[in-house]
Amino acid sequence: MIRHHYTLEHIVKECRRELVGMYISDCFTQEKNILMIECTAEKHELWLECSLDTYNGSFFLKKDFARARHNARDCFPDIVGQQIRDIKIFEHDRIIALYTGSFIVYFLLFSGGKGNIILCNHQNVPLSGFSASLEFSQNSIEYLLSAKNAPFRLRENLSVKELEVHISLFVSDIRIEDTIVDIIHRSLPELGKYYSHYIKNKFEALPYKKDSILTSLSEQIINTYNAIKMCEEYFCLKHDTTYIFSLLPLEGYTIVFKSNSISEVIRRTISLRKKAHREQEIIHKLRTTLDKKIKKVERTLTLLENENTALQKSEYYKLWADILFSQENGRVRPEGQEFITTDWEGNSIRIPVSKEKTLIENAELYYVKIRNAHQSAKIRNQRIPLYKKELATLNQWLTTLNNSPQLDILEELFQKVFKTSTKKMNIIQEQTTKFRVFPLDSGFTLYVGKNATNNDELTMRFAKPNDLWFHARGVSGSHAVLRQTGKEKPSKKIIEKAAAIAAYYSSARNSSYTPVAYTEKKYIRKPKGSNPGAVIMEREKVVMVAPSLPEGYNEKE
């Protein structure tokens, strides 16, 4: 919830308190989608960081930072030397405006890769943009920043009766399966998922009468809104491996860190998120590789141990060879594929033979098999202990992986498994920042294009033949590619999640349900001379989904 409007309101308060009156001494970028602004006043300096990253997009202050000697690029040079006069947030949008003497810097903190930072003069004429080329005309920027007919929103001094009337407008549309959270989210989407659950938990913990449900719910919503507005302590929370920022402690989440500096809590939350994502990448890579290695060694051991039967058969080979060699008519070819005679004890015996060779030649073949069996057994006896030792080591590593998910231990284990140096650890992080990236369950990752040209690159260059390709059916939208992991096939749940994300990044985003077509990438072809993003799909399958993003990457953040 780092980009939640309520969070941004508190950040703007802190920035206004700390930055107004300071001078901008530097403005640059040295990491993709992140703008750094250095602010100074006498001997005091602060850094303002604005990230447009898909997952960790943020706006906060840093006390310590250093510009890199290389790979840093200057941005918005016109504002260097300008004094910061004010910082404001737009009431109904995630837009923050930083005002200097001559310019306004608009930070558009939208999700889904649609954010931007735009430099304007005081007449709102755009001068330059941070992400890609500036695509905003004066009319479009004025439209973006103009007051719109905003939906009903919570506000100070809102009466319980007024809120109750608003919520009641949505009660008539309630379905049987709807919960309190659904009602809150439908009537007050500004609250978002986490605060809606917070209100639900508080509401259900209090006694109320059937005829006053809406009144009790309205009271709890207003109490929560006031608590959010007045909070002076901020929280980094954890549930399983997920870290979130919150203005309130949430049920089911452990408090990892809290502070009265919202910027410090956001910085720690982003750091922990990146670390957790890194850990999950390494864990999945290690587990997949170890499982493959263990299965391969087990198969080899099974084959080696089964080959011991050849040595056991060599006892029969010797008996058969000796009997064949002792025959008086040894230079005669047998009439069939079996030679029937008696053994040393007078018992009848059937010996497999080749009718193209004499009995002596068949005996010699059995002697060769005996020598080969003994030679192979010698080699197997040398190899089996080595494979058993390797299997024990692999199982020990797998136990370490399951019991020790700390990043330093994982990286040490990674070096052992892949026999690589720390410098090469980054090979598991694919260079895919040009696409929207969504890690899903079971190690699957969904990549989503950002525009028509980017769609072509994703589909025709990045995607592998057996990756699954998704697109909202019958409407315009982004291409999406589900990266396959080895021979493992995605479950129905994974396919539905991927389809929901593909639907979200299409013109059917606001539909309740929409069809999404998918197929393997090898059945996608691009006609010669067609427009960017245009492709032809074969062998398509269709799934109906509700457009949405995965948990933890909510558009409300």
Side-chain angles (χ1 to χ4, degrees), residues 21-23 25 38-46 83:
M22 298 182 78
Y23 288 85
S25 56
E38 183 182 16
C39 307
T40 57
E42 298 179 353
K43 297 181 179 181
H44 178 56
E45 69 176 27
L46 283 173
Q83 185 181 35

Side-chain angles (χ1 to χ4, degrees), residues 218-263:
S218 299
E219 289 173 350
Q220 189 55 56
I221 291 173
I222 290 176
N223 291 339
T224 301
Y225 175 77
N226 291 334
I228 289 172
K229 285 288 187 177
M230 297 172 62
C231 72
E232 296 180 352
E233 197 169 40
Y234 311 100
F235 303 89
C236 171
L237 306 177
K238 181 183 181 183
H239 178 69
D240 292 334
T241 59
T242 302
Y243 292 90
I244 66 167
F245 169 87
S246 178
L247 299 171
L248 300 172
L250 303 178
E251 185 176 331
Y253 286 79
T254 304
I255 297 176
V256 178
F257 178 73
K258 61 181 179 179
S259 171
N260 57 5
S261 169
I262 189 170
S263 292

Side-chain angles (χ1 to χ4, degrees), residues 169-345:
L169 298 176
F170 296 84
V171 171
S172 59
D173 297 330
I174 293 178
R175 298 164 295 186
I176 296 176
E177 65 271 20
D178 282 349
T179 63
I180 292 294
V181 172
D182 294 322
I183 297 172
I184 297 171
H185 186 67
R186 197 174 299 135
S187 58
L188 295 165
E190 65 178 282
L191 286 167
K193 177 178 64 176
Y194 294 101
Y195 294 137
S196 295
H197 277 280
Y198 177 90
I199 293 168
K200 187 261 303 185
N201 292 334
K202 291 287 185 182
F203 172 72
E204 291 179 347
L206 296 174
Y208 57 86
K209 298 178 181 178
K210 270 191 172 183
D211 57 353
S212 62
I213 290 178
L214 287 183
T215 301
S216 300
L217 180 60
S218 299
E219 289 173 350
Q220 189 55 56
I221 291 173
I222 290 176
N223 291 339
T224 301
Y225 175 77
N226 291 334
I228 289 172
K229 285 288 187 177
M230 297 172 62
C231 72
E232 296 180 352
E233 197 169 40
Y234 311 100
F235 303 89
C236 171
L237 306 177
K238 181 183 181 183
H239 178 69
D240 292 334
T241 59
T242 302
Y243 292 90
I244 66 167
F245 169 87
S246 178
L247 299 171
L248 300 172
L250 303 178
E251 185 176 331
Y253 286 79
T254 304
I255 297 176
V256 178
F257 178 73
K258 61 181 179 179
S259 171
N260 57 5
S261 169
I262 189 170
S263 292
E264 180 61 20
V265 178
I266 289 174
R267 185 190 68 79
R268 287 281 291 271
T269 303
I270 292 173
S271 175
L272 289 170
R273 275 186 179 182
K274 289 180 177 179
K275 182 180 178 182
H277 183 64
R278 168 76 169 155
E279 288 175 353
Q280 291 305 308
E281 279 187 321
I282 295 178
I283 287 171
H284 174 70
K285 181 74 173 179
L286 283 173
R287 181 166 285 115
T288 301
T289 303
L290 285 173
D291 286 341
K292 287 181 179 178
K293 286 178 177 286
I294 288 172
K295 289 178 181 178
K296 184 177 180 180
V297 173
E298 287 176 340
R299 284 196 302 268
T300 303
L301 275 173
T302 300
L303 290 172
L304 290 175
E305 289 168 351
N306 287 342
E307 286 177 2
N308 282 329
T309 57
L311 185 60
Q312 296 168 0
K313 287 182 178 179
S314 66
E315 298 176 4
Y316 294 102
Y317 295 161
K318 188 174 186 312
L319 175 62
W320 296 343
D322 290 345
I323 292 174
L324 291 174
F325 206 76
S326 67
Q327 299 298 312
E328 294 181 357
N329 53 348
R331 299 194 180 277
V332 176
R333 289 187 175 90
E335 295 180 357
Q337 294 183 344
E338 283 187 339
F339 180 71
I340 303 173
T341 184
T342 57
D343 61 16
W344 311 125
E345 297 176 357

Side-chain angles (χ1 to χ4, degrees), residues 545-556:
V545 293
S548 64
L549 293 178
E551 182 177 353
Y553 307 115
N554 195 294
E555 186 75 8
K556 286 291 176 185

